């Protein structure tokens, strides 16, 4: 029925020559016919990778490879399968690393992503250079040996093949990898019975044809088909949407026991940005609350931000890495002055890169569920853009150093950016001709323009979050209140998060005339880490010196304002139309519209 078909056999060499006498003879007979099959690696003792250390896992794979060499097995190049799907999904980074190191694997399969049923909705993903393809089953598992023992009997098997689940899987999945779970000897060959029945039914009642090929060939066919039928995934690098392994029994069973599996250890709230709106200040003030537990404040890399959901490189580290970003032991919480025991602890994190990331909403939803609460800070978009521009100047970004803010605003496309670069080169006495350095500078100028402007359009990005999260779980804050009325802002945050212990921040905040910013009295506040420092002159805990910088005043022109006129209209309408969270004492939706946004809205006819 399928020209050129042969079975691919998974092997665990540690079991060879063990068992009953008839079993040992069967092993020897199978190896004597090894040339008639293709072979792929399991682990040496069929051990599940999530239960092994990295060194033990490498040892298992190397022993199995030696077994294959000794017995001259024709290996299915580049393909392996993990016992019980362990380590594939949920992702175990050490397994993928070991596969590449020992076997140079580039393809594997699993049933578990994103869920086992329905079979035709299983999806593949890529991780660390290895393509994971969805695998199908035929309803026959290792423990099923005899036809009479099958649950439902022969009628159930026939039903699966003749129009039932196995037939539908073939119909809906153009490329299928099947795992039959044959026992080696002494069974009724139920998998062959089911699959051959489904193949005959398919050929009799459809115009479909059946083909076979190597795992690499089938993988390319699978990817080509899904490129035609699904949205591009280049931005995500093909990485899977990582769900909470503790929420699915099958996933929890193959989750390393050393990894945490308590959903309360994951954040229930996220400060999502956008950048340059005061998210670090909000993180710091929230971390001072005894019942709010922030992500660990790092001193390198992304600093105070995990950026797990928006950064592919970080996301690839896996869910266990994300769990580890939050304090969890009573001892650590005590060092951070966090109340625990009978009091409710609310974990949260801050990553300003999430707001305008088109990857983050789906990833947050997959791991934290739609019950997660989201906090977004909104700032006058021109002021936010100007702050980002000045931030880039302080970091010696070439485009920000060469061009004024007004010029950056005008670099709205490749032609405009290139023209500005030519003008700048001519004005400085250089060659106006196009060369590699000019092209590179134009590209950086265009990128700076987009990072200045795009996040401040607000509404399109909030819409992306609203597709996954209900509006009453989104708190929109006026970033200006961090400077003018932080205690009022923190009251809203506490009410939104429903904290168990209310903190009167008005007794903690004191205005520092020298810094022109509110600082915290009392303390110390170990949970804020390096984000707060002791200001000896004022006797207050203030944000670090690089926060709250003073820039030359922004003097926008009418043309500058026109850039954001329509986006601000859209934001205004979005807030009016969607029921975002409002405090209990709110009497109108206008209560959550920042004053600066109301100033952007021109009266009709003006």
């Amino acid at each position: 029925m399928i020209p050129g078909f042969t079975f691919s056999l998974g092997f665990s060499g540690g079991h060879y020559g063990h068992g009953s006498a008839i079993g040992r003879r069967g092993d020897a007979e199978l190896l004597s016919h090894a040339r008639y099959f293709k072979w792929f690696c399991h682990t040496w003792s069929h051990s599940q990778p999530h239960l092994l250390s990295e060194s033990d896992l490498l040892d298992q794979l190397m022993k199995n490879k030696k077994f294959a060499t000794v017995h001259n097995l024709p290996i299915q190049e580049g393909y392996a399968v993990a016992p019980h799907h362990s380590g594939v999904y949920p992702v175990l980074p050490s397994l993928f690393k070991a596969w590449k190191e020992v076997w140079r694997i580039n393809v594997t399969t699993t049933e578990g992503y994103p869920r086992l049923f329905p079979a035709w909705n299983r999806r593949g993903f890529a991780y660390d250079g290895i393509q994971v393809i969805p695998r199908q089953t035929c309803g026959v598992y290792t423990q099923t040996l005899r036809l009479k023992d099958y649950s439902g009997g022969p009628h159930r098997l026939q039903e699966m093949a003749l129009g039932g689940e196995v037939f539908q899987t073939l119909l809906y999945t153009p490329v299928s990898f099947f795992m039959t779970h044959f026992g080696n000897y002494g069974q009724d060959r139920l998998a062959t019975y089911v699959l051959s029945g489904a193949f005959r039914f398919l050929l009799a009642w459809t115009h479909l044809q059946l083909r076979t090929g190597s795992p690499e060939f089938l993988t390319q066919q699978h990817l080509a088909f899904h490129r035609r039928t699904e949205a591009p995934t280049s931005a995500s690098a093909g990485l899977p949407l990582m769900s909470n392994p503790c929420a699915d029994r099958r996933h929890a069973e193959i989750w390393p026991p050393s990894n945490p599996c308590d959903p309360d250890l994951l954040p229930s709230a996220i400060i999502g940005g956008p950048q340059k709106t005061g998210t670090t200040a909000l993180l710091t003030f929230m971390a001072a609350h005894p019942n709010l537990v922030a992500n660990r404040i790092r001193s390198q890399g992304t600093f105070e931000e995990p950026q797990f959901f928006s950064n592919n490189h970080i996301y690839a580290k896996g869910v266990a890495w994300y769990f580890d970003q939050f304090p969890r032991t009573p001892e650590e919480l005590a060092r951070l002055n966090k109340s625990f025991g009978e009091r409710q602890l609310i974990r949260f994190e801050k990553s300003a890169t999430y707001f305008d990331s088109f990857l983050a909403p789906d990833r947050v939803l997959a791991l934290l569920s739609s019950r997660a609460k989201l906090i977004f800070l909104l700032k006058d978009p021109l002021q936010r853009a100007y702050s980002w521009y000045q931030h880039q100047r302080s970091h010696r970004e070439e485009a920000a150093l060469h061009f004024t803010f007004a010029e950056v605003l005008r670099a709205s496309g490749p032609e405009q950016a290139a023209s500005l670069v030519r003008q700048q080169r001519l004005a400085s006495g250089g060659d106006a001709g196009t060369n590699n350095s000019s092209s590179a500078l134009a590209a950086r100028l265009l990128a700076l323009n987009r990072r200045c402007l795009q996040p401040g359009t607000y509404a399109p990005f909030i819409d992306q979050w609203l597709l996954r999260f209900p509006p009453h779980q989104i708190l929109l804050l006026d970033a200006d209140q961090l400077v003018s009325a932080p205690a009022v802002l923190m009251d809203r945050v506490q009410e939104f998060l429903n904290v168990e212990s209310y903190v009167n921040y008005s007794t903690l905040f004191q205005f520092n005339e020298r810094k022109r910013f509110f600082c915290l009295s009392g303390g110390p506040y170990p949970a804020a880490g390096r984000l707060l420092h002791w200001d000896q002159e004022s006797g207050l805990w203030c944000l670090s010196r690089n926060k709250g910088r003073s820039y030359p005043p922004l003097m926008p022109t009418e043309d500058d304002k026109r850039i954001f006129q329509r986006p601000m209209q859209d934001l205004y309408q979005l807030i009016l139309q969607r029921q975002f969270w409002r405090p209990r004492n709110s009497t109108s939706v206008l209560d959550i519209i920042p004053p600066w946004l109301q100033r952007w809205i021109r009266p009709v006819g003006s």
Side-chain angles (χ1 to χ4, degrees), residues 243-322:
S243 60
N244 185 350
C246 313
D248 184 299
R249 179 184 60 81
R250 284 172 54 91
H251 294 164
E253 288 174 352
I254 52 176
W255 183 241
S258 59
N259 287 346
C261 202
D262 182 349
D264 290 338
L265 298 179
L266 289 171
S268 55
I270 285 180
I271 304 171
Q275 292 171 303
K276 305 313 294 179
T277 57
T279 55
T280 300
L282 180 59
L283 163 68
T284 306
F285 298 153
M286 287 175 62
H289 194 289
N291 298 146
L292 298 180
V293 181
N295 55 275
R296 292 192 175 102
I297 309 300
R298 305 295 187 182
S299 59
Q300 56 187 6
T302 56
F303 300 104
E304 74 272 10
E305 298 189 346
Q307 296 187 7
F308 180 70
F309 299 108
S310 58
N311 184 310
N312 285 334
H313 176 71
I314 297 174
Y315 193 64
K317 295 180 180 180
V319 175
W321 181 91
Y322 190 63

Side-chain angles (χ1 to χ4, degrees), residues 511-532:
F511 192 74
N512 186 316
E513 292 288 349
R514 181 169 49 83
K515 289 184 68 69
R516 308 301 300 169
F517 204 85
F518 279 91
C519 299
L520 292 171
S521 61
Y525 300 99
R530 59 175 181 78
L531 299 180
L532 282 178

Side-chain angles (χ1 to χ4, degrees), residues 338-396:
K338 296 300 175 183
S339 302
F340 55 93
E342 295 183 359
R343 291 185 175 179
Q344 174 196 27
L345 291 180
I346 299 174
R347 286 173 171 79
F348 73 98
E349 69 124 308
K350 171 261 186 180
S351 293
T353 55
Y354 293 165
F355 177 78
D356 56 322
S357 165
F358 286 101
L359 297 173
D362 282 329
R363 289 175 172 179
V364 172
L365 178 64
L367 183 57
L368 305 184
S369 87
S370 60
R371 294 189 297 273
K373 294 186 175 183
L374 308 172
I375 301 174
F376 297 134
L377 286 156
L378 305 180
K379 185 176 183 176
D380 181 292
L382 269 175
Q383 292 290 342
R384 196 214 71 86
Y386 185 57
S387 182
W388 180 257
Y389 167 77
Q390 293 290 353
H391 176 73
Q392 294 303 296
R393 282 182 63 86
S394 69
H395 285 270
R396 314 302 296 171

Side-chain angles (χ1 to χ4, degrees), residues 69 87 89 122 130 132 140 144 172 193 219 229 242 263 318 353 418 421 458 529 533 535 537-538 559 605:
T69 302
Y89 186 83
R122 296 171 192 163
I130 295 177
V132 181
V140 180
T144 305
Y172 296 143
Y193 174 74
T219 296
T229 59
M242 299 186 191
T353 55
V421 169
Y458 295 130
H533 75 277
D535 184 67
E537 182 177 333
S538 64
D559 286 341

Side-chain angles (χ1 to χ4, degrees), residues 65-130:
K65 187 171 186 178
K66 183 177 180 181
F67 176 85
T69 302
V70 169
H71 293 281
N72 198 29
L73 300 183
I75 296 298
Q76 190 80 265
E77 294 293 338
Y79 180 68
V81 169
H84 305 282
H85 310 274
S86 166
V88 181
Y89 186 83
V91 168
L92 183 68
S94 60
L95 171 62
F96 287 78
K97 179 182 176 183
W99 266 344
K100 291 172 66 176
E101 182 175 333
V102 178
W103 284 99
R104 298 183 181 178
I105 297 303
N106 50 45
V107 178
T108 188
T109 56
T110 190
E111 301 165 9
Y113 177 71
R115 292 286 184 270
L116 182 62
F117 297 112
W120 44 87
N121 278 351
R122 296 171 192 163
R123 291 291 177 263
F125 61 90
Y127 186 84
D128 197 18
I130 295 177

Side-chain angles (χ1 to χ4, degrees), residues 21 26 46 81 85 94 117 120 151 170 201 204 215 217 232 256 304 360 395 400 448 473 481 496 502 528 536 563 589:
H46 207 257
V81 169
H85 310 274
S94 60
F117 297 112
W120 44 87
S151 178
L170 290 167
F201 191 81
F217 170 78
E304 74 272 10
H395 285 270
L448 178 59
Q473 286 179 216
Q481 284 193 317
F496 174 65
Y502 172 78
Q536 191 167 4
I563 295 172
V589 68

